């Protein structure tokens, strides 16, 4: 089975990234990532961008494509014109497959009227908009901006935009399910739910049974496995664990869609299987 990692990060050699990679039994390096991808049959990945917006030719490795991220920059009506111009330059780069928003980490509602220029470009260039939803990794973030409900208003207002709810709104699965059921232009990635290395998967499923059963229950309720994508949030979690976890969550007959086909279709990926 071919696999695409629909959500990862490429961090420089900084203390935070080294630490989380080590905790996941990995190394924070592209060479290591490539070899783990090869071992596990992951043919490519979609990087959620964290680099400066001005860097419009970021040159990721050939087995990677990226979503340009609006990360750690001031956002608001006074900045949007200049930033939209840069986003458009990214969209003209064949390696750029979408836009990534970081609400929660950044204090803004994704459905604000002033966001419209970004969404117009997303429609014009046929690029999905991936949105961080759910819990955040830092305490100074604000969850009201990353609750899955913010996607309801954005998806309703900007109907022609293909949104991706990153992390399935974790742990607000009930609320996330309502937003997904109501809005056909919302797809989901299942990244960011694990972190570190799971020493014993059986023990993990016993300990977290309520959480895992609820999540699986809402997946079954939605029954739209053509809108869910495998993703790891590398370097946050062990990749082998992540595949096992996703197989545990998704019925066998939908593995091909969730691990591969949906990402190719939703992100319009160029991967052929020879990249990694
Ligand atoms: Zn992420």
């Amino acid at each position: 089975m071919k696999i695409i990692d629909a959500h990862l990060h490429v961090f420089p050699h900084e203390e935070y990234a080294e630490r989380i990679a080590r905790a996941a039994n990995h190394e924070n390096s592209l060479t290591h990532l490539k070899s783990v991808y090869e071992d596990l049959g992951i043919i490519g990945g979609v990087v959620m961008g964290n680099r400066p917006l001005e860097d419009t030719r970021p040159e990721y490795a050939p087995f990677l494509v990226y979503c340009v991220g609006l990360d750690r920059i001031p956002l608001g009506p006074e900045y949007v014109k200049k930033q939209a111009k840069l986003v458009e330059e990214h969209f003209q780069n064949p390696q750029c497959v979408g836009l990534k928003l970081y609400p929660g980490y950044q204090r803004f509602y994704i459905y604000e009227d002033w966001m419209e220029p970004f969404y117009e470009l997303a429609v014009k260039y046929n690029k999905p908009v991936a949105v961080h939803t759910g819990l955040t990794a830092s305490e100074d973030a604000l969850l009201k901006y990353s609750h899955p409900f913010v996607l309801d208003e954005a998806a309703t207002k900007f109907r022609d935009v293909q949104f991706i709810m990153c992390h399935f709104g974790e742990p607000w699965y009930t609320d996330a399910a309502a937003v997904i059921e109501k809005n056909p232009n919302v797809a989901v990635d299942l990244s960011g739910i694990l972190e570190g290395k799971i020493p014993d998967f059986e023990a993990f499923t016993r300990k977290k049974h309520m959480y895992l059963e609820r999540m699986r229950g809402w997946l079954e309720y939605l029954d739209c496995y053509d809108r869910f994508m495998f993703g790891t949030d590398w370097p946050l979690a062990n990749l082998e664990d992540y595949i096992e976890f996703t197989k545990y969550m998704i019925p066998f007959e939908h593995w091909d869609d969730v691990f591969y086909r949906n990402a190719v279709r939703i992100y319009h990926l160029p991967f052929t299987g020879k990249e990694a």
Side-chain angles (χ1 to χ4, degrees):
M1 181 179 68
K2 282 190 208 169
I3 300 178
I4 284 167
D5 182 353
H7 185 131
L8 75 141
H9 296 269
V10 173
F11 291 124
H13 293 287
E14 57 192 19
E15 203 274 322
Y16 167 75
E18 307 294 318
R19 180 164 45 82
I20 59 173
R22 268 198 307 276
N25 246 2
H26 289 307
E27 277 167 43
N28 177 35
S29 84
L30 269 184
T31 319
H32 176 75
L33 174 66
K34 189 168 190 287
S35 86
V36 179
Y37 269 12
E38 277 167 3
D39 289 349
L40 298 174
I42 303 177
I43 64 162
V46 183
V47 175
M48 296 293 140
N50 303 101
R51 293 193 195 181
L53 188 58
E54 288 76 14
D55 186 4
T56 54
R57 287 287 178 276
E59 291 185 7
Y60 290 103
F63 65 99
L64 299 173
V65 291
Y66 76 101
C67 288
V68 51
L70 301 182
D71 185 27
R72 286 171 279 189
I73 51 172
L75 291 171
E78 63 272 45
Y79 307 106
V80 71
K81 202 172 158 203
K82 195 170 155 222
Q83 291 169 345
K85 206 167 161 289
L86 290 166
V87 166
E88 183 158 27
E89 280 182 42
H90 280 277
F91 282 175
Q92 289 164 350
N93 175 353
Q95 214 174 8
C96 179
V97 298
L99 175 66
K100 172 71 190 288
L101 305 177
Y102 292 90
Y105 295 102
Q106 283 176 295
R107 298 177 178 192
F108 75 110
Y109 286 112
I110 61 164
Y111 50 74
E112 298 279 12
D113 288 337
W114 56 262
M115 286 290 290
E116 195 166 348
F118 296 120
Y119 295 129
E120 278 173 1
L121 286 171
V123 173
K124 179 178 169 193
Y125 287 89
N126 201 15
K127 308 281 184 191
V129 178
V131 180
H132 172 86
T133 61
L135 270 176
T136 52
S138 66
E139 287 174 19
D140 55 354
L142 282 178
L143 298 176
K144 67 175 179 178
Y145 298 111
S146 62
H147 189 281
F149 272 176
V150 300
L151 259 173
D152 179 44
E153 190 152 347
T156 304
K157 211 160 154 178
F158 304 104
R159 245 323 153 213
D160 298 333
V161 176
Q162 171 67 66
F163 286 96
I164 292 154
M165 180 193 284
C166 301
H167 322 304
F168 195 14
E170 185 270 335
W172 287 299
Y173 298 129
T174 312
D175 299 359
V179 174
I180 296 157
E181 182 170 20
K182 173 178 168 275
N183 298 291
N185 55 332
V186 175
V188 190
D189 81 42
L190 293 168
S191 72
I193 290 160
L194 304 182
E195 58 179 52
K197 169 75 192 146
I198 297 171
D200 177 345
F201 196 77
E202 292 278 329
F204 168 79
T205 56
R206 270 198 308 277
K207 187 174 172 202
K208 302 271 184 185
H209 71 97
M210 183 280 277
Y211 178 89
L212 298 175
E213 278 162 23
R214 294 238 170 128
M215 185 182 166
R216 188 155 53 182
W218 286 112
L219 285 163
E220 285 165 4
Y221 165 86
L222 283 167
D223 195 20
C224 59
Y225 295 99
D226 59 338
R227 283 200 265 156
F228 282 82
M229 295 180 279
F230 169 76
T232 65
D233 226 354
W234 163 276
L236 186 64
N238 181 271
L239 297 196
E240 202 172 359
D241 288 350
Y242 225 102
I243 292 174
E244 192 173 1
F245 163 73
T246 308
K247 286 181 172 173
Y248 179 82
M249 281 296 158
I250 303 291
F252 172 73
E253 62 270 31
H254 302 295
W255 285 2
D256 235 17
D257 283 341
V258 172
F259 279 100
Y260 178 71
R261 281 180 217 283
N262 297 341
V264 171
R265 188 187 76 250
I266 292 165
Y267 278 113
H268 314 291
L269 297 182
F271 298 139
T272 58
K274 297 192 185 80
E275 284 82 4

